[in-house]
Amino acid sequence: DGGITQSPKYLFRKEGQNVTLSCEQNLNHDAMYWYRQDPGQGLRLIYYSQIVNDFQKGDIAEGYSVSREKKESFPLTVTSAQKNPTAFYLCASSDRALNQPQHFGDGTRLSIL
Amino acid sequence: GDSVTQMEGPVTLSEEAFLTINCTYTATGYPSLFWYVQYPGEGLQLLLKATKADDKGSNKGFEATYRKETTSFHLEKGSVQVSDSAVYFCALSEKGAQKLVFGQGTRLTINP
């Protein structure tokens, strides 16, 4: 079955450490996205990529970094510069055609020890 | 910039009640509109969509109509079930863009 796989489901980080969240899709989608979700709030866009080797900052990119070396993969690194990293992180992908819906993974919950 | 406003939750209903979750938007141009649903501990699933004015999206008994004159896309269901308990998000996608702008979400709880 085609879909988006995020791993791990739960992740713990010590203060001052970088941590990388994995996102893989087998939907053959060109575009991929990372969102952050905080309790009782909507989703906020961190980074997005419309094609391999290209990505753009979203609304809250500070303290995060991404890469897009392969079409299937869009890992997100939460750096030590991100002061409040505890959140639920969601990865999504979509076809490049206009107005296509985004398909979401099941998320990674990041907590600080 | 573009924005989406949803009715504040939480919303609690009894099984078989009628559901309305209000959603209004502000956008330049004519965006596509979406409703997503999120079950506990999971990602978002597309529930329905509409791409132009007066379009009606429908799925699993849920409906929403794209109203340009009132800039609204309210979600409705005639008879809710316990299994409909989830968080519902309204979102828009600008014409010519792939980014989604989400509302804050509305938590729905259905009691038996």
Side-chain angles (χ1 to χ4, degrees):
Chain A
D1 286 343
I4 300 178
T5 302
Q6 290 188 242
S7 60
K9 192 167 181 65
Y10 299 95
L11 190 57
F12 299 92
R13 192 191 90 171
K14 293 182 180 179
E15 294 277 358
Q17 280 185 336
N18 294 350
V19 64
T20 297
L21 284 61
S22 170
C23 177
E24 303 278 334
Q25 56 99 358
N26 60 4
L27 299 168
N28 200 32
H29 286 163
D30 285 303
M32 297 186 74
Y33 313 81
W34 274 106
Y35 294 91
R36 171 181 172 137
Q37 185 179 22
D38 293 286
Q41 297 188 31
L43 279 67
R44 292 183 290 170
L45 183 64
I46 304 172
Y47 269 97
Y48 65 103
S49 168
Q50 294 180 309
I51 198 168
V52 175
N53 293 323
D54 185 47
F55 49 83
Q56 287 80 40
K57 293 182 179 179
D59 301 318
I60 55 165
E62 185 175 352
Y64 299 97
S65 66
V66 293
S67 62
R68 187 81 189 280
E69 297 177 1
K70 298 187 300 182
K71 186 176 183 177
E72 301 79 18
S73 179
F74 191 41
L76 173 74
T77 297
V78 184
T79 75
S80 57
Q82 170 51 238
K83 299 306 180 188
N84 185 23
T86 296
F88 190 50
Y89 291 87
L90 287 162
C91 179
S93 70
S94 71
D95 191 272
R96 281 189 74 188
L98 296 179
N99 306 316
Q100 294 304 303
Q102 294 182 11
H103 299 257
F104 285 80
D106 283 339
T108 293
R109 187 167 300 280
L110 175 63
S111 301
I112 302 304
L113 295 177
Chain B
D2 294 356
S3 65
V4 175
T5 302
Q6 291 180 233
M7 67 183 288
E8 291 196 17
V11 174
T12 302
L13 296 172
S14 298
E15 205 165 22
E16 299 183 2
F18 184 86
L19 168 71
T20 300
I21 300 178
N22 290 338
C23 171
T24 58
Y25 66 89
T26 302
T28 55
Y30 302 102
S32 292
L33 300 172
F34 305 87
W35 275 102
Y36 283 85
V37 58
Q38 184 179 34
Y39 298 102
E42 298 183 7
L44 276 65
Q45 301 175 24
L46 177 68
L47 183 57
L48 53 84
K49 71 173 186 178
T51 57
K52 62 183 187 297
D54 300 325
D55 267 2
K56 177 186 283 188
S58 61
N59 185 27
K60 300 181 181 179
F62 291 90
E63 295 183 339
T65 301
Y66 190 136
R67 302 287 187 197
K68 186 177 69 172
E69 63 275 14
T70 55
T71 61
S72 65
F73 193 54
H74 304 321
L75 183 68
E76 297 181 335
K77 186 174 185 181
S79 177
V80 292
Q81 306 299 315
V82 173
S83 57
D84 294 327
S85 298
V87 180
Y88 293 80
F89 291 92
C90 185
L92 67 81
S93 174
E94 277 188 322
K95 288 295 185 187
Q98 290 176 302
K99 293 188 294 180
L100 290 178
V101 175
F102 286 88
Q104 75 272 29
T106 301
R107 181 174 298 279
L108 173 66
T109 301
I110 307 301
N111 293 322

